[in-house]
C-alpha cells in the first residue's frame, strides 16, 4: 500500500487540475492520495469522480492556514464535512484574507521598483479558488522578474522579505476545533519545516495533542532525515499518528513528486480510527 496524504491542485496553488492530480497519483502507483488544497474544498468533487475513473482512493482533505502568535502553522484536515455550521464561513474568511493582502504586496513590490498588477496576478492564478503567494510568484516569473517560485520566495515573498504581508488565519487550537467539530481529523503539516519550526515545540505539540490533534506530518521534504526520526518519535510519545506526504504542487515545487513521501498503512488506519465517527 502506497499512501500520500498531502497534495495540491490548481484549485489552490498547485499547477494541475484535481483530475490530473488523481491520474498522476494512479500513474505513480499510489493506492491512496489525499487532495489537500489550501483553505478550500472546491476540488473535492472533481477528485472524487477521478478516483472512480482511475481506480484509486482519494481522501478529501484540506490544508488549513492557522497561526500561533505571529507564526504561520499549516494544519491538514481529513474527511471534514464542509456543510457543518461555520465551516464554509471560516474558510471564506481565510480566503478573503488571502486576496485582501494583495494590494499591500503589490505596493511593497512597487516600492522596490517591481511593477506588477492585480491583473497579472489574477492571470497567473487562473481562477484558483484560493489565492496564494505562489500565484504572485508565477506572475513575477511571467513578467521576467524572477526565474522560478523559489527565487520569488527567497527574494520577495518569504517571511521577512519585502513583499511578505501577514494575513488572517485562526489560531491553531481553533483550527483543531474547526476540523474535529466538522467530523475530521487534524494533523500538523510539516511541523518543523520553515515557518513553524520555532513555535511548534514539543511542549506546544503536547498541548495541541490535549486539544484534540490526531497527528504530526513527520515525513515531509522540509524535514531532514534526523528531523523525521525525531518527529516520529515525538508523535509516538504524545500518542499521535506520524503521517507522511509529498506536498505535491505539480510543477510548482521541485523535489516534491507525488509519492515522494508516504504514510505507513498502519498509521493511516490509526488516523482513520480517530475520526469522530469511527468505531
Ligand atoms: P500562502 O499560502 O500565500 O501563505 O503561501 C504559502 C505557500 O507558498 C506554501 O503553501 C507553498 O506552497 C509555497 N511556498 C512557500 N515557500 C516556498 C518556496 N521557497 N518555494 C516555492 N513555494 C513556496
Ligand atoms: Fe502551497
Ligand atoms: Fe504547507
Ligand atoms: Zn501543502
Amino acid at each position: 500500500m502506497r499512501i500520500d496524504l498531502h497534495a495540491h491542485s490548481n484549485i489552490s496553488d498547485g499547477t494541475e487540475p484535481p483530475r490530473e492530480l488523481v491520474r498522476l497519483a494512479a500513474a505513480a502507483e499510489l493506492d491512496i492520495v489525499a487532495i489537500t488544497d489550501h483553505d478550500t474544498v472546491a476540488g473535492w468533487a472533481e477528485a472524487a469522480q477521478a478516483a472512480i475513473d482511475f481506480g484509486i482512493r482519494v481522501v478529501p482533505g484540506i490544508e488549513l492556514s492557522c497561526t500561533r502568535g505571529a507564526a504561520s502553522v499549516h494544519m491538514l484536515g481529513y474527511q471534514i464535512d464542509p456543510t457543518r455550521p461555520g465551516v464554509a464561513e471560516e474558510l471564506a474568511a481565510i480566503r478573503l484574507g488571502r486576496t485582501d493582502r494583495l494590494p499591500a504586496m503589490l505596493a511593497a513590490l512597487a516600492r522596490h521598483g517591481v511593477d506588477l498588477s492585480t491583473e497579472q496576478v489574477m492571470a497567473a492564478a487562473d481562477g484558483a479558488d484560493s489565492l496564494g503567494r505562489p500565484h504572485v510568484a508565477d506572475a513575477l516569473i511571467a513578467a521576467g522578474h524572477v526565474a522560478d517560485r523559489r527565487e520569488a520566495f527567497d527574494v520577495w515573498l518569504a517571511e521577512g522579505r519585502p513583499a511578505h504581508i501577514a494575513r488572517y488565519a485562526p489560531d491553531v487550537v481553533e483550527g483543531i476545533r474547526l476540523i474535529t467539530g466538522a467530523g475530521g481529523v487534524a494533523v500538523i503539516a510539516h511541523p518543523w519545516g520553515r515557518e513553524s519550526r520555532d513555535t511548534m515545540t514539543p511542549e506546544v505539540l503536547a498541548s495541541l495533542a490535549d486539544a484534540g490533534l490526531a497527528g504530526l506530518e513527520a515525513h515531509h521534504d522540509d524535514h531532514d532525515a534526523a528531523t523525521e526520526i525525531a518527529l516520529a518519535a515525538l508523535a509516538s510519545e504524545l500518542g499521535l499518528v506520524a503521517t507522511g506526504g509529498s506536498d505535491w504542487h505539480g510543477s510548482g515545487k521541485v523535489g516534491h513528486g507525488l509519492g515522494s513521501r508516504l504514510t505507513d498503512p498502519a498509521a493511516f488506519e490509526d488516523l482513520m480510527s480517530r475520526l469522530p465517527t469511527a468505531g
Side-chain angles (χ1 to χ4, degrees):
M1 283 275 272
R2 284 166 47 81
I3 306 166
D4 182 342
L5 291 184
H6 193 161
H8 297 266
S9 77
N10 67 355
I11 297 293
S12 65
D13 57 7
T15 57
E16 309 305 321
R19 184 176 177 81
E20 185 65 0
L21 185 169
V22 175
R23 188 187 72 79
L24 289 167
E29 297 186 330
L30 289 170
D31 301 284
I32 303 176
V33 70
I35 179 170
T36 56
D37 279 310
H38 298 282
D39 307 315
T40 175
V41 299
W44 285 11
E46 183 180 322
Q49 180 58 51
I52 297 167
D53 297 344
F54 297 111
I56 75 168
R57 177 168 170 191
V58 172
V59 174
I62 192 165
E63 187 172 11
L64 187 71
S65 301
C66 294
T67 54
R68 173 87 192 188
S72 152
V73 179
H74 290 176
M75 180 116 49
L76 295 161
Y78 301 106
Q79 306 264 158
I80 63 167
D81 174 357
T83 67
R84 294 284 181 92
V87 175
E89 289 82 353
E90 183 62 20
L91 296 182
I94 299 172
R95 291 196 302 271
L96 185 64
R98 290 176 160 280
T99 45
D100 274 358
R101 72 182 157 164
L102 189 57
M105 293 179 84
L106 299 180
L109 286 169
R111 277 197 300 279
H112 287 82
V114 176
D115 271 317
L116 200 71
S117 68
T118 303
E119 290 69 31
Q120 284 170 295
V121 176
M122 290 308 162
D126 194 24
D129 191 46
S130 187
L131 185 78
R133 280 177 280 168
H135 299 125
V136 179
D138 290 346
L140 287 168
I141 297 166
H145 294 296
V146 296
D148 53 24
R149 282 186 178 185
R150 177 180 294 264
E151 186 187 342
F153 273 85
D154 288 349
V155 178
W156 300 112
L157 303 171
E159 229 178 73
R161 303 309 302 161
H164 180 270
I165 303 290
R167 60 182 168 89
Y168 166 73
D171 178 79
V172 273
V173 173
E174 276 178 63
I176 292 170
R177 285 212 193 99
L178 183 86
I179 290 166
T180 56
V185 281
V187 174
I188 304 276
H190 42 77
W192 291 348
R194 285 179 295 262
E195 296 190 352
S196 53
R197 181 187 298 266
D198 296 339
T199 40
M200 289 295 108
T201 61
E203 293 71 28
V204 168
L205 291 171
S207 75
L208 297 180
D210 291 339
L213 185 69
L216 301 177
E217 189 188 41
H219 310 295
H220 186 283
D221 193 52
D222 285 357
H223 300 147
D224 61 25
T227 303
E228 286 194 35
I229 291 167
L231 266 170
L234 181 61
S236 149
E237 196 180 306
L238 297 176
L240 298 171
V241 182
T243 71
S246 62
D247 207 355
W248 184 73
H249 282 69
S251 57
K253 228 176 192 182
V254 290
H256 288 253
L258 271 168
S260 61
R261 285 292 190 285
L262 299 172
T263 296
D264 181 78
F268 179 71
E269 211 169 291
D270 187 357
L271 187 66
M272 291 296 112
S273 78
R274 296 174 190 232
L275 284 165
T277 49

